[in-house]
Amino acid sequence: MFGGPVNATYSPHLRKSGSRPVFAEPGDIGNSTEEVLLHSTEANEMKGVGTPLSSAAMMPSPTFLWRFKVLLFFIWGFSCCKIGWDSVMRMSADLRDLFLYEAFLYYNPLLLVTFMVWLWGVNLWVFSQATVNYAKIFDLDQSHLTHREIWKCATWMTIIVPTSMTAYLYLYSHGEVSLAASQPVLLYIAVTMVLIFPFDIFYLSSRYYLLRTLWRIILPLQAITFSDFFLADILTSMAKVFSDLERSACRMVHQQVATIAWFEADSVCGSHSVTIPLVLVLPYIFRLFQCLRQYKDNGEKSSLLNALKYSTAVPVIFLSALKYHVFPDRWTNIYRPLWLLSSVLNSMYSFYWDVTRDWDLSCFTRIFKFTKTSYHFIPSFWTEMGLLLGNRKQSHSAMHVDIQAFCTSSPQLPDCFHNHCLGDIPAFSMDLLPGRE
């Protein structure tokens, strides 16, 4: 009764509707197994296909994300302007100008640098549009930053610096002087830490490349590369930035932030400080030593003439500093004319060098006798770039960018290095564009 074989017969009542049979004929076991495996494989494939589709359906479109970011940026900008304006209006009229002067001093260098980073991204974008292989020119590796990444860094700088400035204005106007004084200090410390951070975040290879190039500029004990002189030339256009950085660092060290103790010229951080001309002259000394090093390597007299151009900036700086160390009548009758003369000499020699050497405007020797082709000049410096890449159009593109930089560059070493000028940002930042040798 219980020991006989049991014949498994098919019954529709042993399975649910829509499912496979629970019992099968012995001959159908192999086919049934294959069908089960096939069914499992199809189910897994459907799951694999369905997961990305469901994830894609949940992700917003790039256009929506970009518009949302722009909206947030405008909301942030309006909030900073509104908070800053209300904070300034809370101050008395006598204190307002002095305080804005000081706030501009602390944040002007970083605003200039931010604007210059934006313009450097524009340079890289122009190079990419003109198919200029700038990575080969600057001897960069494959992980170098593109113009999009440069603009990303500039965007964060654009957000962080004005936010810190807004917090500075708000806290000071509401009586939190100590907290207000900490804002620029924390910002400068954060910027320094980001540059020297040894871990592989925040574009470590690019930060290391920048710091290594700066070290090669300070100590030109090796052959001068393109990136060495290019960055050193940019530093000569940042004299106003270095002047404000020196004053800001001095007031932070002497705990004069959010005070007006520095306003007198004879204060420890006043305009009479000998550190200011020393800081201003360093970029020109660096370029001077680079030119001498180039002369040592190649023996070309043009390197000595280029060194002479940078040496003419030294008397301009120190004669300008004498204004705060001599009597007013001696400054007016003796040193001011000498300063003006040295400024004219430096400007004219720099212009002559740019026209004859960097731009190779040999057509100026036939001034009033221009031909139709005389406009299509190629500067000798950028010609080397074009020959390197085998494309005449690329050297034209680089030359046009260089002309924009020259036309918008600031006056050579003006006396307002000791004061604040409203044209600092557009004037000095444009010099970040491909500079002059």
Side-chain angles (χ1 to χ4, degrees):
M1 179 176 178
F2 297 98
V6 178
N7 294 328
T9 58
Y10 174 79
S11 174
H13 302 288
L14 296 179
R15 64 185 180 93
K16 296 181 180 179
S17 176
S19 63
R20 294 186 179 272
V22 177
F23 295 99
E25 295 294 335
D28 297 336
I29 293 178
N31 296 334
S32 177
T33 304
E34 294 178 359
E35 291 177 359
V36 171
L37 293 176
L38 180 61
H39 177 72
S40 301
T41 303
E42 293 176 352
N44 291 333
E45 291 178 354
M46 293 179 64
K47 291 180 179 179
V49 174
T51 301
L53 291 176
S54 60
S55 301
M58 295 176 61
M59 288 295 294
S61 64
T63 304
F64 174 80
L65 287 177
W66 184 83
R67 291 178 178 177
F68 184 68
K69 292 177 182 178
V70 171
L71 177 61
L72 290 180
F73 184 81
F74 277 105
I75 294 175
W76 163 84
F78 176 79
S79 301
C80 287
C81 293
K82 183 68 168 59
I83 295 173
W85 177 262
D86 293 341
S87 301
V88 171
M89 291 297 103
R90 288 174 58 94
M91 304 177 189
S92 61
D94 297 335
L95 183 62
R96 187 180 303 157
D97 293 339
L98 294 178
F99 183 76
L100 289 178
Y101 182 93
E102 185 189 16
F104 184 77
L105 170 68
Y106 298 137
Y107 292 98
N108 180 51
L110 296 180
L111 290 174
L112 286 173
V113 172
T114 300
F115 190 44
M116 293 173 72
V117 173
W118 278 109
L119 291 177
W120 177 241
V122 173
N123 281 337
L124 297 186
W125 177 78
V126 172
F127 291 156
S128 64
Q129 294 297 313
T131 64
V132 174
N133 189 3
Y134 60 89
K136 184 177 181 180
I137 298 173
F138 290 98
D139 193 21
L140 302 175
D141 55 19
Q142 297 298 325
S143 61
H144 67 275
L145 301 183
T146 64
H147 64 277
R148 295 183 182 276
E149 293 169 321
I150 293 294
W151 284 339
K152 183 179 179 180
C153 296
T155 301
W156 281 110
M157 295 172 65
T158 304
I159 294 174
I160 293 173
V161 176
T163 300
S164 177
M165 186 175 182
T166 303
Y168 179 71
L169 296 173
Y170 177 83
L171 293 172
Y172 186 87
S173 63
H174 287 75
E176 301 291 342
V177 179
S178 60
L179 291 177
S182 66
Q183 297 304 310
V185 177
L186 292 176
L187 180 61
Y188 277 84
I189 292 176
V191 171
T192 305
M193 292 301 298
V194 167
L195 285 177
I196 65 175
F197 207 58
F199 301 103
D200 192 9
I201 57 176
F202 302 131
Y203 309 112
L204 176 62
S205 60
S206 298
R207 290 187 288 112
Y208 174 75
Y209 179 83
L210 174 62
L211 295 177
R212 183 185 61 183
T213 306
L214 288 174
W215 181 253
R216 290 166 59 93
I217 291 173
I218 296 174
L219 294 177
L221 303 179
Q222 64 290 315
I224 306 302
T225 63
F226 183 86
S227 57
D228 293 343
F229 103 82
F230 189 85
L231 182 58
D233 196 55
I234 291 176
L235 296 181
T236 60
S237 302
M238 297 175 62
K240 178 59 177 174
V241 174
F242 294 136
S243 175
D244 289 347
L245 281 177
E246 187 277 334
R247 290 179 170 226
S248 300
C250 178
R251 291 166 192 176
M252 292 176 189
V253 171
H254 293 87
Q255 299 181 356
Q256 293 184 0
V257 182
T259 66
I260 57 174
W262 49 266
F263 188 68
E264 297 297 331
D266 57 350
S267 65
V268 66
C269 298
S271 299
H272 81 295
S273 176
V274 296
T275 311
I276 295 178
L278 293 178
V279 171
L280 292 177
V281 80
L282 281 179
Y284 299 93
I285 297 299
F286 294 153
R287 281 295 290 129
L288 174 64
F289 287 157
Q290 283 186 340
C291 294
L292 295 178
R293 173 70 193 198
Q294 286 179 314
Y295 176 75
K296 179 180 179 297
D297 293 338
N298 53 36
E300 295 181 359
K301 293 183 179 180
S302 59
S303 299
L304 292 179
L305 296 176
N306 198 15
L308 179 62
K309 181 185 74 171
Y310 291 102
S311 65
T312 58
V314 177
V316 182
I317 295 174
F318 286 102
L319 286 174
S320 176
L322 285 178
K323 176 180 180 180
Y324 302 93
H325 297 272
V326 298
F327 293 107
D329 56 340
R330 292 181 63 86
W331 164 254
T332 304
N333 299 326
I334 300 177
Y335 296 109
R336 189 172 184 272
L338 291 176
W339 171 72
L340 291 175
L341 179 62
S342 60
S343 299
V344 172
L345 177 64
N346 174 260
S347 300
M348 295 302 296
Y349 188 73
S350 300
F351 178 77
Y352 169 79
W353 184 268
D354 292 337
V355 168
T356 59
R357 301 294 303 182
D358 295 342
W359 294 354
D360 193 20
L361 295 183
S362 56
C363 58
F364 273 14
T365 59
R366 303 184 306 276
I367 196 171
F368 305 122
K369 292 183 180 181
F370 291 109
T371 63
K372 292 183 179 180
T373 60
S374 61
Y375 170 75
H376 300 285
F377 50 82
I378 301 178
S380 58
F381 174 74
W382 295 113
T383 302
E384 297 177 4
M385 294 176 56
L387 293 177
L388 176 64
L389 301 170
N391 192 336
R392 180 185 179 94
K393 179 181 178 181
Q394 294 170 356
S395 55
H396 275 224
S397 301
M399 175 201 64
H400 291 158
V401 176
D402 185 55
I403 290 176
Q404 295 176 17
F406 182 82
C407 294
T408 56
S409 62
S410 58
Q412 292 289 331
L413 301 171
D415 184 45
C416 68
F417 282 151
H418 296 271
N419 303 289
H420 293 306
C421 304
L422 295 179
D424 289 341
I425 292 179
F428 285 89
S429 300
M430 287 301 293
D431 284 342
L432 181 66
L433 294 168
R436 299 169 290 279
E437 258 187 298

